[in-house]
Amino acid sequence: MSPDISETFIQGMPKAELHIHIEGSLEPELMFELAGRNGVALRYASVEEVRRAYDFSDLQSFLDLYYEGMRVLLHEQDFYDLTRAYLQRISAQNVRHTEIFFDPQAHTDRGVPFETVVAGIRRALVDAEQQLGISSKLIMCFLRHLSAERAMETLRTSLPYREWIVGVGLDSSEVGHPPEDFKAVFDEAREHGLLTVAHAGEEGPPEYIWQALDDLKVSRIDHGVRCVEDPKLVERLREEQIPLTVCPLSNVKLRVFDSIQDHNLKRMLDLGLCVTANSDDPAYFGGYVDENFHAAWEGLHLSRDAVYRLAKNSFWASFLGAERKQRLLNELDDYFASHS
Ligand code: ADE
Ligand code: ZN
């Protein structure tokens, strides 16, 4: 752990977040508020009881609670309030840019119209740009435990809102749902000019990362921590500097690694990979992006240079235009220069 880094240093450091599921930022307090407002019954008596339930054995045990929690989201204002609360949190952590995933099928399958979801999120993003100076992009994820046909229908439903969405992703239960199953959907998404990303190598094998690269033509891999099992894959990711949006606290909570000390984030940086640090589902995993930087720095004894690289990669790997990207990279360099 580098002594010239501190919690305050990390908090003030300009950074971007590239892997956050907006539904995973639903804090229990807001869950209760929305449940009351919308007349939705929860099976928990208190906020504390909800938090106590967040003891996961794997990805699926989390997803079960994640889909249950989001039943309180019904109206446009609910999606606005959810997104607004996340943006206020990250504003206090000096996150200057964020790329947000949303799971439309988890809402449309409950009867909530696509427009309700995307309009509420979008309104909060526009307000945050004006009021908090946070830029953002929206990435629509397909639920891979559902069929490719349903993903295709979702893509087509989204087209009237094409201008609000920068790309598509693939999330939910990984093992048994390989990226290659979604090749046609991703082909069509790219024909509409959408960028592509995919969760791969979180619980699934390196083969899924190969498929995400070759079949889905992704610009980034979400998680990707299992890439180290395949030296040829590491070489490809390093050569092409394919960004990996790693989520340290998530990986510990979902038992991908036994502890933060066992996490391979530092090893991946040392291998020359383009690694970033992100929160995934902050309300469920014990922290937003700062807490993830802090856990990685403290748990893995990251050097000042390693922390710098994580922050620099976050801007470099973003889907921002060249001008703002460069401005934020300069802001980061100024920050390090003025804290040396
Ligand atoms: N959806 C929300 N969080 C996820 C994760 N960590 N992996 C896959 N799907 C998710
Ligand atoms: Zn994720």
Side-chain angles (χ1 to χ4, degrees), residues 73 93 103 106 193 319:
L73 298 164
Q93 302 192 340
D103 283 334
F319 293 147

Side-chain angles (χ1 to χ4, degrees), residues 17 19 54 56 62 93 202 223 225 245-261 263-265 276-300:
E17 169 143 78
H19 185 156
Y54 294 171
F56 309 115
F62 154 69
Q93 302 192 340
E202 177 185 16
H223 292 291
V225 291
T245 63
V246 174
C247 307
L249 289 175
S250 162
N251 292 153
V252 174
K253 278 295 264 187
L254 302 188
R255 317 249 182 116
V256 174
F257 297 96
D258 290 339
S259 72
I260 192 72
Q261 287 78 16
H263 200 287
N264 67 2
L265 177 143
T276 64
N278 308 272
S279 71
D280 207 6
D281 300 281
Y284 291 86
F285 300 152
Y288 289 73
V289 72
D290 264 14
E291 286 80 9
N292 276 275
F293 266 87
H294 187 261
W297 163 64
E298 199 173 58
L300 300 170

Side-chain angles (χ1 to χ4, degrees), residues 76-308:
E76 194 257 14
Q77 188 64 41
D78 304 338
F79 289 93
Y80 178 91
D81 291 347
L82 172 73
T83 310
R84 177 77 184 170
Y86 163 70
L87 292 160
Q88 276 170 331
R89 290 262 196 165
I90 64 164
S91 176
Q93 302 192 340
N94 215 18
V95 174
R96 309 284 289 109
H97 176 72
T98 182
E99 303 198 345
I100 295 182
F101 294 133
F102 72 116
D103 283 334
Q105 291 163 288
H107 311 298
T108 52
D109 278 12
R110 300 181 289 115
V112 178
F114 187 95
E115 171 160 23
T116 300
V117 180
V118 77
I121 298 173
R122 165 79 184 172
R123 187 158 63 85
L125 297 181
V126 170
D127 283 357
E129 179 127 34
Q130 288 165 359
Q131 296 161 12
L132 306 172
I134 301 174
S135 53
S136 57
K137 303 281 181 192
L138 198 49
I139 300 172
M140 175 174 75
C141 283
F142 302 117
L143 299 182
R144 69 203 305 163
H145 70 271
L146 302 178
S147 69
E149 290 70 32
R150 301 278 299 284
M152 190 67 96
E153 285 164 23
T154 303
L155 174 64
R156 290 174 183 163
T157 303
S158 77
L159 291 178
Y161 310 94
R162 168 68 191 86
E163 290 313 305
W164 295 353
I165 298 170
V166 75
V168 297
L170 188 65
D171 67 0
S172 196
S173 323
E174 185 182 7
V175 176
H177 303 286
E180 66 182 3
D181 291 356
F182 295 85
K183 185 176 182 322
V185 188
F186 276 61
D187 281 347
E188 184 159 323
R190 287 198 320 284
E191 279 162 24
H192 289 284
L194 291 156
L195 298 170
T196 61
V197 298
H199 283 53
E202 177 185 16
E203 286 187 343
E207 172 58 21
Y208 286 16
I209 302 179
W210 285 107
Q211 289 180 15
L213 294 170
D214 293 334
D215 295 333
L216 307 187
K217 312 256 185 281
V218 296
S219 303
R220 303 192 295 243
I221 296 286
D222 297 312
H223 292 291
V225 291
R226 286 195 60 191
C227 72
V228 297
E229 296 168 27
D230 179 343
K232 280 208 173 67
L233 177 59
V234 169
E235 193 45 29
R236 164 101 182 260
L237 295 169
R238 194 191 61 77
E239 276 272 310
E240 296 183 17
Q241 285 295 292
I242 308 282
L244 302 164
T245 63
V246 174
C247 307
L249 289 175
S250 162
N251 292 153
V252 174
K253 278 295 264 187
L254 302 188
R255 317 249 182 116
V256 174
F257 297 96
D258 290 339
S259 72
I260 192 72
Q261 287 78 16
D262 295 314
H263 200 287
N264 67 2
L265 177 143
K266 181 168 183 295
R267 181 173 166 209
M268 290 197 293
L269 277 175
D270 291 344
L271 285 165
L273 297 174
C274 181
V275 178
T276 64
N278 308 272
S279 71
D280 207 6
D281 300 281
Y284 291 86
F285 300 152
Y288 289 73
V289 72
D290 264 14
E291 286 80 9
N292 276 275
F293 266 87
H294 187 261
W297 163 64
E298 199 173 58
L300 300 170
H301 305 281
L302 293 186
S303 66
R304 179 181 165 99
D305 184 58
V307 172
Y308 171 74

Side-chain angles (χ1 to χ4, degrees), residues 59-78:
L59 174 59
Q60 193 58 51
S61 67
F62 154 69
L63 289 170
D64 293 343
L65 290 199
Y66 169 79
Y67 294 122
E68 185 182 327
M70 65 178 84
R71 290 183 306 115
V72 301
L73 298 164
L74 292 177
H75 307 294
E76 194 257 14
Q77 188 64 41
D78 304 338

Side-chain angles (χ1 to χ4, degrees), residues 324-336:
R324 180 158 169 84
K325 191 183 276 196
Q326 193 55 55
R327 190 156 353 111
L328 292 174
L329 284 165
N330 293 345
E331 229 181 82
L332 177 67
D333 282 350
D334 291 347
Y335 184 79
F336 271 78

